Amino acid sequence: MTEEDKTVHTVHGRVKWFDPGKGFGFIVADEGGADILLHANVLRNYGQNSVADGAVISVKVQMTQRGVQAVEVLEIEPPQGVSFPLGDESAPVDAEEIARLPLEPARVKWFDKAKGFGFANVFGRPEDVFIHIEVLRVSGFADLQAGEAICLRIVEGKRGRMAVQVVSWEAANRQLG
């Protein structure tokens, strides 16, 4: 490999697919070209264990013997043009209302992708917070792992507290820092 091959540059695109079980996925660059490998370790360095298909992503990439690979995630935005009807008239309905809610630090209690939901515990509070898979997806995630540190924007629903947005711990720290 020549020195030229080791240059790193920034690419913007969308997540084609990501499988946390396999530990990798692919990005399609806005400018076209070959798919870009996104390894789970690179995603973890950003502070997430998964990313939703269709999420907008900015990464630093490098050419390797196996093709173009992401070496650093710079930014992830949830898939655009999706909304989640919460079925609760007291819940905020638009992104601006949701963004005004405070970020609450939490840890994933459990999440079952097949069932389509899970629960988290907010630090210092005894009750569970419900997390629906569609909220996870519109937040830019594909899955959550038990014990994972996250931040949640939460509303009081008819059946208790429920997340309306999930943010990775590291991304929340970047937003607040």
Side-chain angles (χ1 to χ4, degrees):
M1 218 183 254
T2 66
E3 276 307 306
E4 244 175 70
D5 296 330
K6 294 184 181 182
T7 53
V8 175
H9 64 281
T10 302
V11 172
H12 305 281
R14 291 193 179 279
V15 175
K16 185 175 186 178
W17 61 267
F18 186 85
D19 186 333
K22 291 180 179 179
F24 69 92
F26 289 93
I27 299 166
V28 176
D30 289 345
E31 65 265 12
D35 289 353
I36 300 162
L37 176 67
L38 176 61
H39 194 273
N41 288 337
V42 174
L43 193 57
R44 276 197 225 48
N45 288 341
Y46 180 73
Q48 289 186 207
N49 289 319
S50 68
V51 63
D53 297 352
V56 175
I57 190 166
S58 295
V59 293
K60 288 187 178 180
V61 299
Q62 184 175 41
M63 178 57 86
T64 69
Q65 291 175 341
R66 293 184 166 182
V68 184
Q69 293 187 12
V71 294
E72 182 182 355
V73 175
L74 302 172
E75 184 178 17
I76 297 174
E77 294 176 26
Q80 296 174 343
V82 291
S83 62
F84 175 57
L86 294 169
D88 190 325
E89 62 279 347
S90 64
V93 290
D94 68 31
E96 287 180 12
E97 284 182 89
I98 290 171
R100 285 194 287 271
L101 295 170
L103 281 171
E104 298 186 45
R107 228 176 249 291
V108 177
K109 186 174 182 180
W110 62 268
F111 191 85
D112 187 326
K113 193 173 177 179
K115 289 182 180 178
F117 68 92
F119 291 92
N121 299 117
V122 171
F123 296 114
R125 297 198 57 155
E127 71 275 12
D128 290 344
V129 177
F130 177 78
I131 304 172
H132 192 276
I133 193 152
E134 285 301 309
V135 168
L136 197 64
R137 190 174 69 80
V138 300
S139 298
F141 291 79
D143 203 354
L144 292 173
Q145 302 302 313
E148 188 173 346
I150 54 175
C151 285
L152 301 172
R153 287 196 163 97
I154 301 168
V155 296
E156 195 65 47
K158 290 177 183 173
R159 296 184 184 172
R161 290 168 46 92
M162 55 191 223
V164 290
Q165 185 181 32
V166 180
V167 179
S168 75
W169 183 258
E170 287 79 359
N173 282 328
R174 285 191 291 275
Q175 286 176 20
L176 300 173

